[in-house]
Amino acid sequence: MAQISSREQALSKVADLEDALEYFRDGTVLMYGGFGGIGTPPTLIEGILRKGVKDLFLIGNDTGFPDVGVGRLVTAGRVRKIITSHIGSNPHAGELMHRGELEVEFSPQGTLAERIRAGGVGLAGILTDVGIGTVVENGKQKVTVDGKEYLLETALRAEVAIVHAAKADPFGNLTYIRSGRNFNPLVAMAADFTIAEADEIVPLGSLDPEVIVTPGIFVNMVIPSKGVNWRWAWEEKKGG
């Protein structure tokens, strides 16, 4: 492998947790990879909790489990609003919602993914017929195309996105393991500042371009993971 030049070193996006925590403050609009915690970076979540950040506005596909993923933020009462597909795996989220302490906007998972993707590629929104004739359409604009009615679902963006990658190089190119990929490539595109936590940071040039899922152009900072992603370990143990 060729020696890394001083220019490449200067362009490295690798930082430490304390650098990353500078981008989180009370009220931050935060996107994250989910799927019960497999896509959520544990070191960053721990850092956010330790910093004491509160009143977060979260956007992601679920609320994790009570003590796993973003569920830790919900359980600690650090979240004021969330746009998500479901909260059933975290009973604390349901309790807080019913007490009026957590505002929850539900969005079907496919619709949510497309809204995030739209935010990442610069679209204003998407058209979908999911929710027509139900409570989902309340307060939303309707558009007729070729005689068929659709709901206009607005695009979603965040101030900060946090993603959990299997491997990253110093330029921020990312790979994932199986279901650890989930929403991560989408949220990485749809934030003003994207922080990737990687289980392994590899030398520049060692990642096969054909397996890179998130190009480094979408990633602003990379930090090494110091936590254990329990579901990745479980998947590795069972062999898939």
Side-chain angles (χ1 to χ4, degrees):
M1 183 183 299
Q3 185 176 2
I4 296 176
S5 69
S6 58
R7 178 177 180 273
E8 289 171 338
Q9 291 176 348
L11 293 174
S12 174
K13 298 175 181 178
V14 178
D16 60 31
L17 176 61
E18 297 308 313
D19 294 322
L21 291 179
E22 293 295 321
Y23 293 89
F24 301 95
R25 64 181 188 281
D26 292 353
T28 294
V29 181
L30 176 65
M31 277 188 186
Y32 56 93
F35 275 35
I38 187 172
T40 311
T43 305
L44 283 167
I45 294 295
E46 177 64 31
I48 293 169
L49 284 166
R50 176 163 53 83
K51 186 175 180 179
V53 178
K54 61 184 185 300
D55 295 327
L56 292 167
F57 181 165
L58 301 184
I59 302 172
N61 80 292
D62 62 25
T63 51
F65 294 92
D67 298 311
V68 177
V70 296
R72 298 183 65 198
L73 298 175
V74 173
T75 298
R78 305 291 183 83
V79 182
R80 65 174 174 84
K81 180 176 180 178
I82 184 167
I83 300 177
T84 189
S85 295
H86 72 91
I87 61 174
S89 58
N90 187 347
H92 293 153
E95 293 167 4
L96 290 167
M97 179 182 70
H98 288 298
R99 292 206 304 260
E101 298 175 21
L102 174 65
E103 182 182 351
V104 180
E105 177 185 330
F106 289 106
S107 183
Q109 186 160 274
T111 301
L112 180 62
E114 282 297 287
R115 293 176 70 188
I116 294 171
R117 186 190 65 83
V121 299
L123 301 178
I126 63 166
L127 298 180
T128 177
D129 61 357
V130 176
I132 289 287
T134 74
V135 67
V136 173
E137 72 177 31
N138 292 348
K140 294 179 180 176
Q141 182 179 344
K142 293 182 180 179
V143 177
T144 301
V145 179
D146 292 334
K148 185 174 181 179
E149 197 169 52
Y150 297 88
L151 296 180
L152 172 62
E153 295 279 5
T154 56
L156 294 172
R157 286 191 60 83
E159 294 172 283
V160 181
I162 56 174
V163 302
H164 193 178
K167 294 182 180 181
D169 69 17
F171 280 9
N173 297 303
L174 309 179
T175 68
Y176 306 95
I177 295 178
R178 291 183 289 279
S179 57
R181 175 171 175 167
N182 61 79
F183 272 46
N184 277 310
L186 297 177
V187 303
M189 298 167 57
D192 298 334
F193 196 89
T194 294
I195 305 170
E197 177 178 329
D199 290 335
E200 183 180 0
I201 299 176
V202 300
L204 189 67
S206 63
L207 291 179
D208 181 351
E210 295 298 327
V211 302
I212 292 171
V213 178
T214 298
I217 189 67
F218 295 116
V219 178
N220 301 96
M221 181 181 287
V222 176
I223 70 163
S225 183
K226 298 178 181 179
V228 175
N229 188 304
W230 63 277
R231 293 194 67 179
W232 280 6
W234 180 73
E235 285 195 349
E236 288 290 348
K237 182 178 180 180
K238 76 183 184 109

